[in-house]
Amino acid sequence: MATSLLEIVDLGDGEIVLQRADDDSAPLLTIHFSDEANAHLMENYLEVAKAMIQAGIQTAAQLSEVAGVEMDGNEDEATSSADRTLH
């Protein structure tokens, strides 16, 4: 899979998006904080959004690594783990 540069953009209307820097396609991710959440975050909403995105990317990478290990192992184990729901 080809890698592309991603950017976090504050659209100014309360939405923060993660998008490809070299592409005009739809955002990969959109975060919108409610008025109540913004009141609690004050001016720190962008930092919170960045932390949320970073945590999501790290988790996705870890899950991808785990899936890669399972696919190399027993076929039955990979199938049974795919049927589980992670919360």
Side-chain angles (χ1 to χ4, degrees), residues 3-84:
T3 59
S4 61
L5 185 61
L6 302 176
E7 61 183 355
I8 299 170
V9 179
D10 182 353
L11 298 180
D13 62 355
E15 285 192 339
I16 296 107
V17 298
L18 176 67
Q19 62 188 23
R20 288 186 174 87
D22 57 354
D23 194 324
D24 287 336
S25 62
L28 301 169
L29 173 73
T30 301
I31 297 174
H32 181 85
F33 293 109
S34 68
D35 291 338
E36 182 179 359
N38 275 328
H40 290 290
L41 296 173
M42 296 181 271
E43 296 297 318
N44 299 312
Y45 67 94
L46 189 55
E47 288 77 19
V48 172
K50 287 178 185 179
M52 292 169 66
I53 293 168
Q54 181 179 11
I57 290 171
Q58 288 174 344
T59 301
Q62 290 170 350
L63 292 172
S64 178
E65 289 175 11
V66 168
V69 169
E70 289 177 355
M71 294 306 288
D72 291 339
N74 187 339
E75 192 80 13
D76 293 335
E77 288 176 346
T79 304
S80 66
S81 67
D83 296 335
R84 290 187 276 166

